């Protein structure tokens, strides 16, 4: 046994190859996470950064206060609202567009692939400027079009509920591209023989879709679902740029709440505690997804 252990450590080449990645992971991920976890049990703020003697260990007080904080509870509700509505829409539209674009390979289809992919790589500031104009209550393009059919002005970013829906529309439009590419790659990896067998059996296109295509996309769908869900639970850019969490904290997400507490109000301990609550929420949701996927494959 000792000889086998010794022989493993004598073969140093694999460890040399993975060492840079492991070191970078430790420095920029694991160590900062551990430091933030310790900070979440303190009252660290600007005074504490200037003089460490001003930092006090307060135990679970930050976590207890968070669940009494109306703004934090509202951010949890808003994040759940974004996830429940936004994630299915992204998956539905990205899969639907991928299915449509998969039927052709000429220049027109390639053009539309680029059109649908471009929003996902467009700078969020440029997107906010354009969509801010579209959503403007007084002179925005959307309200102008609605006025042509005698529909009253819609307060797209002034009403808390409508503002959340407006941000979801923007985020869905921006997030379709990457998932569409993943679905397209999965579709093109399906062997043609499956479709030929279905055609020989007399299956219609609808039956082929539901009994051949969609079942063979289950791994891609699972991957897209998990990554999209995690991304939407960290929903930040759209409310930060478009509404800054308003009106009346109606669009503030947990990620935006953490940013505001940490970088605007300099309550680093409080923000660190909120970040770990978000981390636990993401872990739980991800584990549920994997558990559901495992139980599905057992049948």
């Amino acid at each position: 046994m000792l000889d086998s252990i010794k022989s493993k450590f004598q073969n140093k080449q694999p460890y040399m190859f993975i060492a840079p990645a492991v070191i970078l992971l430790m420095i920029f991920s694991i160590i900062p996470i551990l430091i933030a976890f310790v900070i979440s049990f303190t009252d660290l703020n600007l005074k504490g950064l200037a003089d460490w003697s001003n930092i006090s260990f307060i135990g679970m007080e930050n976590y207890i206060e968070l669940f009494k904080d109306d703004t934090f509870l509202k951010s949890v509700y808003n994040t759940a609202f974004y996830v429940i509505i936004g994630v299915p829409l992204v998956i539905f539209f990205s899969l639907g567009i991928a299915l449509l674009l998969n039927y052709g390979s000429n220049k027109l289809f390639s053009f539309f692939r680029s059109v649908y992919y471009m929003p996902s790589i467009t700078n969020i500031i440029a997107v906010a400027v354009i969509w801010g104009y579209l959503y403007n209550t007084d002179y925005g393009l959307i309200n102008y079009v609605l006025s042509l059919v005698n529909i009253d002005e819609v307060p797209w970013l002034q009403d808390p509920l409508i503002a959340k829906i407006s941000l979801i529309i923007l985020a869905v439009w921006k997030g379709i591209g990457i998932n569409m590419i993943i679905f397209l790659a999965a579709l093109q990896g399906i062997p043609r023989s499956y479709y030929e067998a279905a055609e020989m059996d007399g299956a219609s296109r609808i039956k082929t879709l539901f009994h051949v295509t969609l079942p063979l996309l289950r791994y891609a769908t699972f991957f897209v679902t998990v990554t999209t869900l995690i991304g939407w639970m960290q929903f930040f850019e759209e409310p930060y740029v478009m509404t800054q969490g308003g009106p009346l904290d109606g669009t503030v997400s947990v990620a935006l709440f953490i940013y505001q507490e940490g970088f605007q109000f300099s309550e680093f301990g409080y923000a660190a505690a909120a970040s770990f609550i978000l981390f636990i929420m993401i872990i739980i949701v991800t584990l549920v997804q994997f558990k559901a996927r495992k139980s599905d494959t057992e049948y």
Side-chain angles (χ1 to χ4, degrees), residues 175-191:
I176 285 174
I178 293 177
N179 294 324
M180 178 201 69
I181 294 297
I182 295 171
F183 279 125
L184 269 174
L187 284 167
Q188 293 174 2
I190 298 175

Side-chain angles (χ1 to χ4, degrees), residues 76-239:
V76 173
Y77 165 78
N78 292 338
T79 301
F81 187 91
Y82 293 136
V83 169
I84 292 171
I85 296 179
V87 172
L89 287 177
V90 170
I91 295 172
F92 175 79
F93 283 111
S94 57
L95 176 57
I97 293 170
L99 288 169
L100 292 174
L101 294 180
N102 190 54
Y103 281 108
S105 57
N106 56 35
K107 292 184 178 180
L108 180 62
F109 284 89
S110 299
F111 170 74
F112 277 107
R113 289 180 189 180
S114 302
V115 167
Y116 285 114
Y117 182 70
M118 283 297 292
S120 63
I121 59 174
T122 304
N123 184 275
I124 185 62
I125 304 300
V127 170
V129 170
I130 300 300
W131 281 81
Y133 165 71
L134 295 176
Y135 281 145
N136 188 279
T137 304
D138 299 321
Y139 54 83
L141 179 61
I142 297 176
N143 277 345
Y144 171 74
V145 173
L146 293 177
S147 68
L148 298 178
V149 291
N150 297 320
I151 297 177
D152 294 335
E153 293 180 346
V154 178
W156 295 105
L157 299 177
Q158 284 73 44
D159 179 82
L161 177 59
I162 298 177
K164 281 194 283 286
I165 295 173
S166 301
L167 294 181
I168 289 173
I169 295 172
L170 166 58
V172 168
W173 171 81
K174 195 173 187 300
I176 285 174
I178 293 177
N179 294 324
M180 178 201 69
I181 294 297
I182 295 171
F183 279 125
L184 269 174
L187 284 167
Q188 293 174 2
I190 298 175
R192 180 62 190 167
S193 58
Y194 289 116
Y195 295 108
E196 292 174 352
E199 188 177 350
M200 291 176 64
D201 290 338
S204 63
R205 285 195 172 185
I206 297 297
K207 288 185 177 180
T208 302
L209 173 64
F210 284 99
H211 295 285
V212 177
T213 304
L214 294 182
L216 291 174
L217 288 177
R218 60 186 183 275
Y219 295 110
T221 304
F222 174 70
F223 174 78
V224 168
T225 301
V226 172
T227 55
T228 304
L229 195 60
I230 293 173
W232 278 74
M233 291 190 73
Q234 301 176 78
F235 197 61
F236 172 76
E237 291 180 337
E238 287 78 4

Side-chain angles (χ1 to χ4, degrees), residues 27-104:
I27 294 175
F28 295 104
S29 293
I30 296 176
I31 293 176
I33 288 173
L34 294 176
I35 293 173
F37 183 68
V38 174
I39 290 174
S40 70
F41 296 102
T42 69
D43 60 352
L44 178 63
N45 52 26
L46 282 178
K47 292 190 297 182
L49 287 179
D51 185 358
W52 287 8
S53 63
N54 292 322
I55 303 175
S56 300
F57 180 81
I58 58 176
M60 298 294 294
E61 186 175 327
N62 283 330
Y63 293 92
I64 295 171
E65 288 298 319
L66 278 170
F67 288 101
K68 296 179 181 178
D69 190 331
D70 291 337
T71 304
F72 177 73
L73 296 177
K74 186 176 288 187
S75 73
V76 173
Y77 165 78
N78 292 338
T79 301
F81 187 91
Y82 293 136
V83 169
I84 292 171
I85 296 179
V87 172
L89 287 177
V90 170
I91 295 172
F92 175 79
F93 283 111
S94 57
L95 176 57
I97 293 170
L99 288 169
L100 292 174
L101 294 180
N102 190 54
Y103 281 108

